[in-house]
Amino acid sequence: MEAYVLDWVNLLLRWAHVIVAIAWIGSSFYFVFLDNSLTKPADPDLKAKGVDGELWAVHGGGFYHPQKYMVAPKAIPENLHWFYWESYSTWLTGFALFTVLYLYQAGTFLIDRNVHAWSPAAAIAAALGFLVVFWIVYDGICRFFGQREGGDRIVGIGVTVAVVLASWLACQFFAGRAAFLLVGAMMATSMSANVFFWIIPGQRTVIAQMKAGQPVDPVHGQRAKQRSVHNTYFTLPVLIAMLSNHYGFLYGAPHNWLVLVLIMLAGALIRHSFVARHKALVQGQPVPWLYAGVGTAVIVGLIVWLAPAPVPKAAAAAPVSFAQVQAVVAQRCAMCHNEQVISKNIQLHTPELIAKNAQALYQQAVVLKAMPMNNATQITDAERGLLGRWFEAGAPLN
């Protein structure tokens, strides 16, 4: 019953997390597009009001005319919308999901004793430490170098090095699936911390200065803009790190830390291409698709690198008996899928049940390589291939 309840909690938290994450990422993408698509106003009245950029857009049968004031408008509007609950809700639901799935079940999900044998308590403390320490390192890099000449480049290099080092460390200590997700979680934590510690406080300071009749210090807007730009570059790497836990061929690969770094790099390059595209279109320049091309090339390179070795013709042609399949399932799968332990509502302790769940067995153990969890039973690629050939031959019981 506990496993059943946890499955429901997992489902509902994941659903809520995806919903609020869509809202946050959508608003982030929109405002990056907006900032890079604004044009200087030609209307003298808009210039007199302090409008620095405007955009005309059509959507849903109506015309929209967003305007941006450099630093702040002369008076605070009565109806002012704040964009922060999208971020906070995404982090809260994500951390709750991480707690239910990975921290509460650390012995199963965080720890792979073939990678590093330690206690669940130590693994939990280290996982939480990743979230905190990365934020401290990232924030420190931004504080010390962000306002210097050429600071954006230095910050970019420093943050990249920090992400690469964290990816390597995570894959040395945690199960591959957990390591990938943990790297995504630490970056997502920094994204939300940017909103909580810098972006929103900076905006509140600007409003307080306006209400007090004081000159508005532009540094608050500059800092908020810097962190907002970082957030948009983190987005695609975070998404692929989060999605990777469904694809064992990624986190189970040799040198999996490098796989993670490269696929996140591809996401960042593709995202940069779209950011640069917005500016290029406004300025009438060619669209810089080179970055997206390089990112795509990195993904193609990963596809080639991670491709499974071809099965020898003799092995591929050899018929697979059900006795062979049953022996593999009994040794590698049945300890978690039997009459006493019915994990994920799947049982594999009889020939009839193996045949009934052949599709799920093929998908999870052969295609996705997600099972056994963290390869706890040490199933081999040859055994996965054997299960695959049996299923593709029609899953016969003889």
Side-chain angles (χ1 to χ4, degrees), residues 155-290:
V155 168
I157 294 172
V159 173
T160 300
V161 170
V163 170
V164 171
L165 178 60
S167 300
W168 180 80
L169 283 173
C171 291
Q172 304 310 303
F173 288 102
F174 298 97
R177 180 182 183 186
F180 276 42
L181 187 133
L182 186 58
V183 170
M186 77 181 192
M187 295 173 69
T189 295
S190 293
M191 291 171 66
S192 202
N194 278 339
V195 177
F196 185 81
F197 289 111
W198 288 100
I199 297 173
I200 296 301
Q203 292 172 344
R204 293 193 187 281
T205 300
V206 167
I207 290 177
Q209 290 174 339
M210 292 176 65
K211 287 183 176 179
Q214 300 172 351
V216 175
D217 189 344
V219 71
H220 301 294
Q222 293 166 0
R223 289 172 177 167
K225 178 63 176 176
Q226 179 195 54
R227 301 302 179 102
S228 180
V229 169
H230 292 174
N231 279 3
T232 201
Y233 281 104
F234 278 4
T235 301
L236 295 190
V238 166
L239 285 176
I240 192 60
M242 297 300 187
L243 291 173
S244 67
N245 68 93
H246 298 286
Y247 301 95
F249 65 86
L250 290 176
Y251 60 75
H255 308 295
N256 56 353
W257 69 272
L258 184 57
V259 174
L260 176 58
V261 167
L262 289 175
I263 202 165
M264 289 195 300
L265 173 64
L269 288 170
I270 291 170
R271 181 68 190 128
H272 176 68
S273 183
F274 281 89
V275 172
R277 172 182 177 273
H278 302 322
K279 293 181 180 180
L281 291 176
V282 170
Q283 297 169 0
Q285 298 177 354
V287 175
W289 290 118
L290 175 63

Side-chain angles (χ1 to χ4, degrees), residues 77-100:
E78 291 184 11
N79 298 316
L80 185 62
H81 183 79
W82 292 80
F83 287 87
Y84 56 82
W85 278 114
E86 297 90 341
S87 168
Y88 301 163
S89 299
T90 300
W91 190 86
L92 289 171
T93 55
F95 185 75
L97 185 60
F98 181 66
T99 299
V100 168

Side-chain angles (χ1 to χ4, degrees), residues 109-391:
F109 288 92
L110 275 183
I111 299 172
D112 181 346
R113 299 196 179 278
N114 295 308
V115 175
H116 188 72
W118 53 355
S119 68
I124 290 170
L128 295 175
F130 261 79
L131 306 184
V132 175
V133 172
F134 180 78
W135 161 248
I136 293 172
V137 171
Y138 161 75
D139 187 57
I141 292 171
C142 294
R143 285 173 181 262
F144 288 118
F145 300 107
Q147 303 303 315
R148 300 185 183 185
E149 184 177 353
D152 286 343
R153 182 180 296 273
I154 297 173
V155 168
I157 294 172
V159 173
T160 300
V161 170
V163 170
V164 171
L165 178 60
S167 300
W168 180 80
L169 283 173
C171 291
Q172 304 310 303
F173 288 102
F174 298 97
R177 180 182 183 186
F180 276 42
L181 187 133
L182 186 58
V183 170
M186 77 181 192
M187 295 173 69
T189 295
S190 293
M191 291 171 66
S192 202
N194 278 339
V195 177
F196 185 81
F197 289 111
W198 288 100
I199 297 173
I200 296 301
Q203 292 172 344
R204 293 193 187 281
T205 300
V206 167
I207 290 177
Q209 290 174 339
M210 292 176 65
K211 287 183 176 179
Q214 300 172 351
V216 175
D217 189 344
V219 71
H220 301 294
Q222 293 166 0
R223 289 172 177 167
K225 178 63 176 176
Q226 179 195 54
R227 301 302 179 102
S228 180
V229 169
H230 292 174
N231 279 3
T232 201
Y233 281 104
F234 278 4
T235 301
L236 295 190
V238 166
L239 285 176
I240 192 60
M242 297 300 187
L243 291 173
S244 67
N245 68 93
H246 298 286
Y247 301 95
F249 65 86
L250 290 176
Y251 60 75
H255 308 295
N256 56 353
W257 69 272
L258 184 57
V259 174
L260 176 58
V261 167
L262 289 175
I263 202 165
M264 289 195 300
L265 173 64
L269 288 170
I270 291 170
R271 181 68 190 128
H272 176 68
S273 183
F274 281 89
V275 172
R277 172 182 177 273
H278 302 322
K279 293 181 180 180
L281 291 176
V282 170
Q283 297 169 0
Q285 298 177 354
V287 175
W289 290 118
L290 175 63
Y291 297 101
V294 173
T296 302
V298 170
I299 294 174
V300 171
L302 280 172
I303 293 171
V304 174
W305 176 27
L306 300 179
V311 178
K313 291 183 178 179
V320 177
S321 69
F322 182 74
Q324 292 175 289
V325 171
Q326 191 171 22
V328 172
V329 171
Q331 184 179 6
R332 309 301 189 187
C333 313
M335 61 283 298
C336 293
H337 300 281
N338 54 61
E339 194 171 9
Q340 289 75 38
V341 183
I342 313 175
S343 181
K344 303 298 181 183
N345 203 32
I346 298 291
Q347 293 175 289
L348 298 170
H349 58 283
T350 69
E352 292 75 20
L353 288 169
I354 293 174
K356 176 183 176 182
N357 294 298
Q359 179 79 35
L361 183 64
Y362 177 71
Q363 289 177 343
Q364 296 298 318
V366 180
V367 178
L368 299 179
K369 296 185 178 180
M371 292 293 161
M373 178 66 66
N374 298 327
N375 200 13
T377 59
Q378 299 298 297
I379 188 172
T380 66
D381 286 340
E383 290 169 333
R384 293 186 194 274
L386 184 145
L387 294 176
R389 296 197 303 278
W390 169 71
F391 178 81

Side-chain angles (χ1 to χ4, degrees), residues 12 26 73:
L12 296 176

